[in-house]
Amino acid sequence: YEDLIRQAQEATRNRNYAQSSQLSEQAVKLNGSRPEAYANLGWVALYGFGDLPAAARHYQRAIQSGGTVWFRIHHDHANGSFTTRCM
């Protein structure tokens, strides 16, 4: 399971979303009670494929399994452009 998750997260970082999804689905089949694969599937669905309903389903499963989920947050620094980044 851990190796599949590492590979899936690496594929996500490399923007290979189809491979990441496949690896995460394999991890779910191997152990559907763990949250990491669902969280990765949620990220890929939302940011890789723009599929909010699928992302919400995967994120809910991750949370129900005791895990956490993550999001990109864009916020404004009062200049109205949303281009200023924080470190």
Side-chain angles (χ1 to χ4, degrees):
Y1 182 91
E2 288 80 11
D3 189 49
L4 286 170
I5 293 301
R6 274 192 295 277
Q7 291 177 52
Q9 290 171 341
E10 180 67 25
T12 298
R13 281 189 292 279
N14 292 329
R15 295 187 173 137
N16 187 343
Y17 300 123
Q19 181 185 24
S20 180
S21 291
Q22 291 172 343
L23 291 163
S24 294
E25 290 289 350
Q26 289 177 19
V28 166
K29 288 178 184 173
L30 194 61
N31 187 343
S33 65
R34 298 213 22 210
E36 298 88 356
Y38 296 114
N40 191 63
L41 284 166
W43 175 269
V44 169
L46 186 59
Y47 298 108
F49 300 125
D51 187 346
L52 180 59
R57 285 192 306 275
H58 294 307
Y59 280 151
Q60 287 173 346
R61 289 292 306 267
I63 292 167
Q64 290 169 351
S65 299
T68 58
V69 299
W70 55 94
F71 299 92
R72 292 181 189 157
I73 305 297
H74 295 273
H75 62 280
D76 188 11
H77 284 270
N79 68 355
S81 70
F82 289 92
T83 59
T84 304
R85 294 180 179 259
C86 288
M87 293 294 178

mmCIF file of all heavy atoms in Angstrom, residues 27-44:
data_model
loop_
_atom_site.group_PDB
_atom_site.id
_atom_site.type_symbol
_atom_site.label_atom_id
_atom_site.label_comp_id
_atom_site.label_asym_id
_atom_site.label_seq_id
_atom_site.Cartn_x
_atom_site.Cartn_y
_atom_site.Cartn_z
ATOM 1 N N ALA A 27 -4.408 1.071 -4.788
ATOM 2 C CA ALA A 27 -4.213 1.144 -3.338
ATOM 3 C C ALA A 27 -5.544 0.986 -2.607
ATOM 4 O O ALA A 27 -5.612 0.309 -1.574
ATOM 5 C CB ALA A 27 -3.543 2.459 -2.957
ATOM 6 N N VAL A 28 -6.604 1.583 -3.135
ATOM 7 C CA VAL A 28 -7.933 1.432 -2.525
ATOM 8 C C VAL A 28 -8.357 -0.029 -2.546
ATOM 9 O O VAL A 28 -8.882 -0.547 -1.561
ATOM 10 C CB VAL A 28 -8.976 2.320 -3.251
ATOM 11 C CG1 VAL A 28 -10.393 1.932 -2.863
ATOM 12 C CG2 VAL A 28 -8.730 3.792 -2.948
ATOM 13 N N LYS A 29 -8.122 -0.704 -3.667
ATOM 14 C CA LYS A 29 -8.475 -2.131 -3.753
ATOM 15 C C LYS A 29 -7.668 -2.964 -2.771
ATOM 16 O O LYS A 29 -8.168 -3.935 -2.210
ATOM 17 C CB LYS A 29 -8.273 -2.636 -5.178
ATOM 18 C CG LYS A 29 -9.302 -2.110 -6.140
ATOM 19 C CD LYS A 29 -9.047 -2.591 -7.552
ATOM 20 C CE LYS A 29 -10.051 -1.950 -8.497
ATOM 21 N NZ LYS A 29 -9.764 -2.237 -9.898
ATOM 22 N N LEU A 30 -6.433 -2.561 -2.556
ATOM 23 C CA LEU A 30 -5.564 -3.288 -1.630
ATOM 24 C C LEU A 30 -5.997 -3.066 -0.185
ATOM 25 O O LEU A 30 -6.015 -4.002 0.617
ATOM 26 C CB LEU A 30 -4.119 -2.841 -1.835
ATOM 27 C CG LEU A 30 -3.032 -3.685 -1.207
ATOM 28 C CD1 LEU A 30 -3.058 -5.098 -1.768
ATOM 29 C CD2 LEU A 30 -1.684 -3.043 -1.476
ATOM 30 N N ASN A 31 -6.364 -1.818 0.147
ATOM 31 C CA ASN A 31 -6.785 -1.502 1.514
ATOM 32 C C ASN A 31 -7.704 -0.283 1.468
ATOM 33 O O ASN A 31 -7.238 0.855 1.548
ATOM 34 C CB ASN A 31 -5.575 -1.242 2.408
ATOM 35 C CG ASN A 31 -5.963 -1.090 3.852
ATOM 36 O OD1 ASN A 31 -7.130 -0.871 4.188
ATOM 37 N ND2 ASN A 31 -4.988 -1.208 4.736
ATOM 38 N N GLY A 32 -8.989 -0.513 1.351
ATOM 39 C CA GLY A 32 -9.975 0.546 1.248
ATOM 40 C C GLY A 32 -10.286 1.260 2.547
ATOM 41 O O GLY A 32 -11.081 2.201 2.564
ATOM 42 N N SER A 33 -9.670 0.849 3.634
ATOM 43 C CA SER A 33 -9.953 1.491 4.920
ATOM 44 C C SER A 33 -8.955 2.596 5.252
ATOM 45 O O SER A 33 -9.126 3.300 6.242
ATOM 46 C CB SER A 33 -9.961 0.447 6.041
ATOM 47 O OG SER A 33 -8.676 -0.117 6.209
ATOM 48 N N ARG A 34 -7.926 2.757 4.420
ATOM 49 C CA ARG A 34 -6.915 3.791 4.672
ATOM 50 C C ARG A 34 -7.234 5.047 3.860
ATOM 51 O O ARG A 34 -7.744 4.961 2.751
ATOM 52 C CB ARG A 34 -5.529 3.261 4.333
ATOM 53 C CG ARG A 34 -5.217 2.070 5.224
ATOM 54 C CD ARG A 34 -3.829 1.833 5.639
ATOM 55 N NE ARG A 34 -2.879 2.905 5.620
ATOM 56 C CZ ARG A 34 -1.585 2.688 5.413
ATOM 57 N NH1 ARG A 34 -1.138 1.483 5.172
ATOM 58 N NH2 ARG A 34 -0.749 3.699 5.452
ATOM 59 N N PRO A 35 -6.897 6.217 4.372
ATOM 60 C CA PRO A 35 -7.336 7.463 3.744
ATOM 61 C C PRO A 35 -6.447 8.035 2.651
ATOM 62 O O PRO A 35 -6.900 8.836 1.836
ATOM 63 C CB PRO A 35 -7.379 8.436 4.924
ATOM 64 C CG PRO A 35 -6.319 7.941 5.848
ATOM 65 C CD PRO A 35 -6.362 6.442 5.716
ATOM 66 N N GLU A 36 -5.183 7.658 2.583
ATOM 67 C CA GLU A 36 -4.241 8.349 1.709
ATOM 68 C C GLU A 36 -4.628 8.275 0.230
ATOM 69 O O GLU A 36 -4.514 9.267 -0.492
ATOM 70 C CB GLU A 36 -2.820 7.797 1.896
ATOM 71 C CG GLU A 36 -2.261 7.970 3.281
ATOM 72 C CD GLU A 36 -2.604 6.820 4.225
ATOM 73 O OE1 GLU A 36 -3.346 5.898 3.825
ATOM 74 O OE2 GLU A 36 -2.114 6.845 5.370
ATOM 75 N N ALA A 37 -5.046 7.111 -0.214
ATOM 76 C CA ALA A 37 -5.411 6.961 -1.627
ATOM 77 C C ALA A 37 -6.627 7.815 -1.966
ATOM 78 O O ALA A 37 -6.669 8.446 -3.027
ATOM 79 C CB ALA A 37 -5.688 5.493 -1.951
ATOM 80 N N TYR A 38 -7.595 7.867 -1.060
ATOM 81 C CA TYR A 38 -8.778 8.702 -1.302
ATOM 82 C C TYR A 38 -8.400 10.177 -1.371
ATOM 83 O O TYR A 38 -8.914 10.913 -2.219
ATOM 84 C CB TYR A 38 -9.826 8.490 -0.214
ATOM 85 C CG TYR A 38 -10.398 7.103 -0.167
ATOM 86 C CD1 TYR A 38 -10.171 6.279 0.926
ATOM 87 C CD2 TYR A 38 -11.171 6.608 -1.206
ATOM 88 C CE1 TYR A 38 -10.699 5.000 0.983
ATOM 89 C CE2 TYR A 38 -11.701 5.326 -1.170
ATOM 90 C CZ TYR A 38 -11.455 4.529 -0.064
ATOM 91 O OH TYR A 38 -11.981 3.264 -0.016
ATOM 92 N N ALA A 39 -7.498 10.605 -0.486
ATOM 93 C CA ALA A 39 -7.077 12.006 -0.501
ATOM 94 C C ALA A 39 -6.373 12.343 -1.810
ATOM 95 O O ALA A 39 -6.609 13.402 -2.404
ATOM 96 C CB ALA A 39 -6.160 12.295 0.691
ATOM 97 N N ASN A 40 -5.526 11.446 -2.280
ATOM 98 C CA ASN A 40 -4.841 11.685 -3.549
ATOM 99 C C ASN A 40 -5.833 11.685 -4.706
ATOM 100 O O ASN A 40 -5.743 12.519 -5.603
ATOM 101 C CB ASN A 40 -3.737 10.658 -3.779
ATOM 102 C CG ASN A 40 -2.853 11.051 -4.945
ATOM 103 O OD1 ASN A 40 -2.195 12.084 -4.916
ATOM 104 N ND2 ASN A 40 -2.860 10.255 -5.980
ATOM 105 N N LEU A 41 -6.777 10.760 -4.684
ATOM 106 C CA LEU A 41 -7.806 10.738 -5.728
ATOM 107 C C LEU A 41 -8.610 12.035 -5.730
ATOM 108 O O LEU A 41 -8.973 12.549 -6.797
ATOM 109 C CB LEU A 41 -8.742 9.540 -5.539
ATOM 110 C CG LEU A 41 -8.183 8.194 -5.965
ATOM 111 C CD1 LEU A 41 -9.045 7.054 -5.418
ATOM 112 C CD2 LEU A 41 -8.087 8.118 -7.481
ATOM 113 N N GLY A 42 -8.887 12.576 -4.563
ATOM 114 C CA GLY A 42 -9.600 13.843 -4.475
ATOM 115 C C GLY A 42 -8.807 14.972 -5.093
ATOM 116 O O GLY A 42 -9.340 15.778 -5.862
ATOM 117 N N TRP A 43 -7.527 15.041 -4.768
ATOM 118 C CA TRP A 43 -6.662 16.083 -5.321
ATOM 119 C C TRP A 43 -6.623 15.984 -6.854
ATOM 120 O O TRP A 43 -6.773 16.983 -7.558
ATOM 121 C CB TRP A 43 -5.257 15.940 -4.754
ATOM 122 C CG TRP A 43 -4.280 16.893 -5.357
ATOM 123 C CD1 TRP A 43 -3.494 16.679 -6.455
ATOM 124 C CD2 TRP A 43 -3.978 18.216 -4.919
ATOM 125 N NE1 TRP A 43 -2.730 17.781 -6.712
ATOM 126 C CE2 TRP A 43 -3.013 18.740 -5.784
ATOM 127 C CE3 TRP A 43 -4.438 18.993 -3.865
ATOM 128 C CZ2 TRP A 43 -2.497 20.014 -5.630
ATOM 129 C CZ3 TRP A 43 -3.910 20.264 -3.722
ATOM 130 C CH2 TRP A 43 -2.962 20.764 -4.588
ATOM 131 N N VAL A 44 -6.408 14.772 -7.348
ATOM 132 C CA VAL A 44 -6.319 14.571 -8.794
ATOM 133 C C VAL A 44 -7.644 14.913 -9.480
ATOM 134 O O VAL A 44 -7.656 15.564 -10.524
ATOM 135 C CB VAL A 44 -5.879 13.127 -9.109
ATOM 136 C CG1 VAL A 44 -6.038 12.794 -10.579
ATOM 137 C CG2 VAL A 44 -4.433 12.921 -8.667
#
